[in-house]
Amino acid sequence: IREKLKVVYPAVPLPKIKKVKKDKNIINLLFIGRYFYQKGGHVVLRVFEKLKEKYDVNLTIISHVPGTILKKYATIEGLNIYKSVPDSKLKHIFENSDIYVYPGYSDTFGFTIIEAMSYGLPVVTSQAFARNEIVDNETTGFIIKRGKDEIKEYIDKISLLIEDTKLRKSMSKNARREIEKGKFSIRKRNKKLREIYEYAIS
């Protein structure tokens, strides 16, 4: 049976990216997840707090963030939290971001990851579900092992991307290329679907 199975990955369009003038000294992190705790928003905030002690970083969160969390982090500079945003603003946020951070503890796949990759964002995520099939570890991002050292690992990997501009740009290109020509490209998805249907009716 295994030999008869074919995996057809989801595909997303490759967006046209508008060049944005950004302060090279500031790194913009992004987290998107409707369910704050299930998607790991609390982990991202803890990581951001620690990174803020050493680097000039901003964090944008798009999530249903509990009121207690909003109150607790209300005074942190560089933190922007939205419950939801229209597509036009979301595109602008992606274009202004540098690194996508997504622990995601309740996914089967994690579609925001490939959406972030389509904008050329290196992804730092936790090992779970289909992550090993989405993120090519150390090529398009980093996959963090869950456990007691998870927060530290996030801090270490994001710090590496902050300090190593060449690595960050390389991962950015690799991530976007995966959507343009790799297994998440519409062309590859359609080709595989065509082959499957033609085989089925032959």
Side-chain angles (χ1 to χ4, degrees), residues 27-112:
I27 295 297
N28 297 314
L29 309 178
L30 174 63
F31 164 79
I32 302 173
R34 179 181 298 178
Y35 305 107
F36 182 74
Y37 287 108
Q38 294 93 321
K39 303 299 183 181
H42 57 301
V43 171
V44 178
L45 276 174
R46 288 176 63 188
V47 170
F48 175 64
E49 278 187 294
K50 291 294 183 181
L51 291 171
K52 195 75 177 168
E53 295 173 2
K54 187 176 179 181
Y55 305 104
D56 197 350
V57 292
N58 295 333
L59 170 62
T60 296
I61 289 178
I62 303 174
S63 181
H64 293 183
V65 180
T68 51
I69 299 294
L70 290 173
K71 186 176 180 181
K72 179 179 178 181
Y73 290 92
T75 59
I76 293 188
E77 187 179 350
L79 177 61
N80 299 294
I81 299 176
Y82 304 95
K83 187 174 182 180
S84 63
V85 295
D87 286 345
S88 57
K89 186 173 180 64
L90 180 60
K91 185 178 189 304
H92 179 71
I93 289 172
F94 271 123
E95 289 171 339
N96 277 276
S97 299
D98 298 294
I99 302 168
Y100 189 62
V101 188
Y102 186 78
Y105 300 125
S106 62
D107 290 311
T108 51
F109 186 77
F111 283 90
T112 61

Side-chain angles (χ1 to χ4, degrees), residues 3-202:
E3 292 175 0
K4 294 180 180 180
L5 295 176
K6 298 285 184 182
V7 177
V8 181
Y9 289 101
V12 293
L14 190 73
K16 290 183 179 179
I17 300 176
K18 183 180 179 181
K19 288 187 178 181
V20 180
K21 286 186 177 180
K22 294 188 287 188
D23 189 334
K24 293 181 180 179
N25 297 315
I26 300 176
I27 295 297
N28 297 314
L29 309 178
L30 174 63
F31 164 79
I32 302 173
R34 179 181 298 178
Y35 305 107
F36 182 74
Y37 287 108
Q38 294 93 321
K39 303 299 183 181
H42 57 301
V43 171
V44 178
L45 276 174
R46 288 176 63 188
V47 170
F48 175 64
E49 278 187 294
K50 291 294 183 181
L51 291 171
K52 195 75 177 168
E53 295 173 2
K54 187 176 179 181
Y55 305 104
D56 197 350
V57 292
N58 295 333
L59 170 62
T60 296
I61 289 178
I62 303 174
S63 181
H64 293 183
V65 180
T68 51
I69 299 294
L70 290 173
K71 186 176 180 181
K72 179 179 178 181
Y73 290 92
T75 59
I76 293 188
E77 187 179 350
L79 177 61
N80 299 294
I81 299 176
Y82 304 95
K83 187 174 182 180
S84 63
V85 295
D87 286 345
S88 57
K89 186 173 180 64
L90 180 60
K91 185 178 189 304
H92 179 71
I93 289 172
F94 271 123
E95 289 171 339
N96 277 276
S97 299
D98 298 294
I99 302 168
Y100 189 62
V101 188
Y102 186 78
Y105 300 125
S106 62
D107 290 311
T108 51
F109 186 77
F111 283 90
T112 61
I113 295 177
I114 58 174
E115 190 172 7
M117 288 169 62
S118 75
Y119 282 89
L121 300 187
V123 176
V124 185
T125 187
S126 293
Q127 190 175 47
F129 308 101
R131 299 301 155 70
N132 288 325
E133 295 178 70
I134 304 172
V135 178
D136 190 345
N137 196 31
E138 298 189 11
T139 300
T140 59
F142 293 109
I143 299 176
I144 306 298
K145 287 185 179 180
R146 290 185 178 182
K148 62 180 182 179
D149 295 325
E150 190 172 356
I151 298 291
K152 181 182 181 301
E153 282 295 308
Y154 268 99
I155 294 168
D156 289 346
K157 296 304 183 186
I158 296 172
S159 295
L160 177 59
L161 288 171
I162 290 172
E163 294 176 10
D164 193 335
T165 305
K166 186 177 179 180
L167 176 63
R168 192 171 70 247
K169 287 183 177 180
S170 173
M171 284 190 170
S172 173
K173 289 179 181 178
N174 292 336
R176 188 164 165 85
R177 190 182 299 116
E178 190 67 26
I179 305 302
E180 182 181 12
K181 299 178 180 178
K183 60 188 175 186
F184 301 116
S185 70
I186 290 177
R187 181 177 294 179
K188 270 206 170 178
R189 188 274 313 271
N190 290 351
K191 182 184 177 187
K192 185 169 279 191
L193 277 176
R194 183 184 181 91
E195 290 171 353
I196 291 169
Y197 279 116
E198 286 181 344
Y199 176 77
I201 63 176
S202 63

